[in-house]
Amino acid sequence: MKEENQLMKNIFHTLEANFPVENWKVNGIGIWPYLRIKIYIHLLSISINSGGRQEKKNDLKKTTVIAKNRHSIITDFLVAFKGFFNFLRELKTKKIVFFGSHSQRVLHEGCWFNRFFDSMVNTYKIDKEVYMVEYLQELDNTYNPNSIICLDKNLNFYKTVFFWRKRIKRKSDIYLKNYDLFLNYIQQELNISPTELRIQESNIIDWTNKIIFLSGFYRIFFKRVKPSKIVFAGYYGWDNLYAAIYQANKMKIMTVDSQTNHMVFSDWTKIPERGYDLMPKKYWNWDEISKNNIDTWASKTNDVLAYVVGQSYLGYCKSKYQNSSDEKIIFFSLQTFELEEMIPNGIISFIKNTNYKWIFRLHPRNTFTPQELSVFIKNRVVEDLNYEIQDSRSVPISEVLCSCFLHITGFSGCLLESKMMGVSTILIHPLGEEMFEDYIDEKTVFFVNGKDDFFYEKIIEIISNLEYKISISQNFYIHNPLD
């Protein structure tokens, strides 16, 4: 599997070596980041779902076309116009615009707290200096509610008011040298259908027109707010966010992504001197390894920079880093796979033959319910297992880690937070070995394939040589986002 993941890296090296991807532009937009990330996610889904396991596909939403009379169209327009006008009227000048999601929030002292950004805002008392754009679901009872902007609602106002802009006929400005050869290559050599992936030239033209249309919303928004920077915690995969980055870069507003080590940010071999206009210019990294990962390609540009800023929420909650229990607890962080993939037979055997307490922590976007997990555990493991199922947003991870002596996961980014908290991690999925190969040191971070015939023996050996707590050497500095 590790060889397969290395092959995935080699695929992008080959594509970037054989095609002028850094020069491809449609309607003024450098499209390679969009293509590369889309292909990567496609390959990743194939890798995840290999071995006979079928992917759970979401049912396509059926769109019912409802004929509207002239009166209802006018009414919708007037409602949207009033809503958009009120939105603009209430906007104030702010120094920072954060883009966040409800899945990034945790329940902290009675309110939903964005674990990436709100700790910075609260520590430096800059509540009135920021906006928090929620690009998915908007929760009630959030921290700093006066800063919240619901992106979907206000974008829909914009789309209704400025619908006519979509109908403007433009002559497309296209530079896609050897793009037909590229599409033929990925179809013949990678078995990727450009039609199914919607990356034919006509698809790319439509997509760039969409980004340009959406960027009009941000041009108005940013002109009103006048931010010095916009900050994301994972920008890729969302057209609404691509449009925000594109427009901010165009307006010379600093664009920042707060992230950890990830393939999306890795192994770029071709990049324009000033970077891509669909990617951030600055990166706030949790640790030095993540920073070095960015530096390997950012050094080829003149304005893309990476910094180590730590994980601010851990620093914010450092007063809780006290283990008041002598009970040995194992923390198991789950992903969005099916349960049989996440909890292989090796783990089940380990659970049955040991006497630890387990905390199973759900992924923010898990595809199964706590009840389904409970039934799985009872049917596959033992009825009287001492365990707890936690919603990742209801219990702060700092609170969980301070009571655990070991973290087990397939490939969760919780590994970094565990390491900062002094808790050793055992990775049990090959994707974890690939994603975190720079962290595996056989001292604090280990890899044992969960499907290995001798998994139980190997994990027991690791635990027998494992100190109860590794030293906490991480500097829990809380970064000031205004710096």
Side-chain angles (χ1 to χ4, degrees), residues 41-175:
I41 292 173
H42 176 76
L43 293 173
L44 180 64
S45 68
I46 293 174
S47 178
I48 288 173
N49 295 298
S50 62
R53 187 176 69 84
Q54 296 298 315
E55 180 182 9
K56 282 188 177 180
K57 295 184 178 179
N58 294 325
D59 292 334
L60 295 176
K61 293 182 179 179
K62 295 181 180 180
T63 303
T64 302
V65 179
I66 302 175
K68 291 188 176 183
N69 58 38
R70 185 177 180 182
H71 180 266
S72 64
I73 292 174
I74 294 173
T75 299
D76 290 346
F77 178 85
L78 292 175
V79 169
F81 183 85
K82 181 180 178 181
F84 194 62
F85 174 79
N86 288 336
F87 165 65
L88 296 180
R89 184 185 61 181
E90 294 171 3
L91 289 175
K92 297 177 175 62
T93 300
K94 302 285 184 178
K95 294 181 178 179
I96 300 177
V97 175
F98 292 108
F99 283 78
S101 163
H102 68 285
S103 64
Q104 297 164 357
R105 292 187 176 272
V106 295
L107 197 59
H108 178 85
E109 297 180 352
C111 67
W112 291 106
F113 200 81
N114 186 295
R115 65 182 185 274
F116 297 115
F117 305 135
D118 284 338
S119 52
M120 302 178 190
V121 173
N122 184 273
T123 298
Y124 294 100
K125 309 303 179 189
I126 55 174
D127 303 58
K128 296 181 180 180
E129 303 291 343
V130 307
Y131 275 129
M132 179 69 73
V133 177
E134 298 284 311
Y135 58 84
L136 292 176
Q137 178 184 347
E138 184 179 0
L139 300 176
D140 294 329
N141 195 29
T142 58
Y143 172 78
N144 196 16
N146 293 330
S147 73
I148 302 295
I149 290 177
C150 180
L151 182 59
D152 278 354
K153 179 180 71 175
N154 292 297
L155 257 181
N156 285 335
F157 288 155
Y158 168 82
K159 292 174 183 177
T160 301
V161 172
F162 294 95
F163 71 95
W164 51 270
R165 289 186 175 177
K166 282 187 173 181
R167 300 184 179 180
I168 297 176
K169 297 291 184 181
R170 300 185 182 91
K171 183 179 179 181
S172 296
D173 179 19
I174 303 170
Y175 181 86

Side-chain angles (χ1 to χ4, degrees), residues 285-352:
N285 298 273
W286 288 12
D287 62 3
E288 195 68 33
I289 291 177
S290 298
K291 176 185 179 298
N292 293 339
N293 184 48
I294 301 291
D295 285 340
T296 56
W297 58 265
S299 60
K300 302 172 185 177
T301 72
N302 57 17
D303 63 351
V304 179
L305 297 172
Y307 309 88
V308 176
V309 302
Q311 216 285 28
S312 294
Y313 188 62
L314 294 185
Y316 186 77
C317 298
K318 64 182 179 181
S319 60
K320 295 184 178 182
Y321 297 166
Q322 295 178 1
N323 184 6
S324 58
S325 173
D326 292 331
E327 188 175 24
K328 283 202 169 184
I329 302 173
I330 295 177
F331 164 45
F332 195 114
S333 56
L334 295 156
Q335 279 81 37
T336 57
F337 290 4
E338 292 181 2
L339 289 170
E340 290 82 358
E341 183 82 4
M342 282 289 87
I343 308 178
N345 290 333
I347 283 290
I348 292 173
S349 176
F350 174 63
I351 292 174
K352 285 181 176 180

Side-chain angles (χ1 to χ4, degrees), residues 350 354 356 455-465:
F350 174 63
T354 53
Y356 298 111
F455 175 83
Y456 174 76
E457 290 80 5
K458 290 180 179 180
I459 200 170
I460 287 295
E461 181 181 0
I462 289 172
I463 291 176
S464 66
N465 296 320

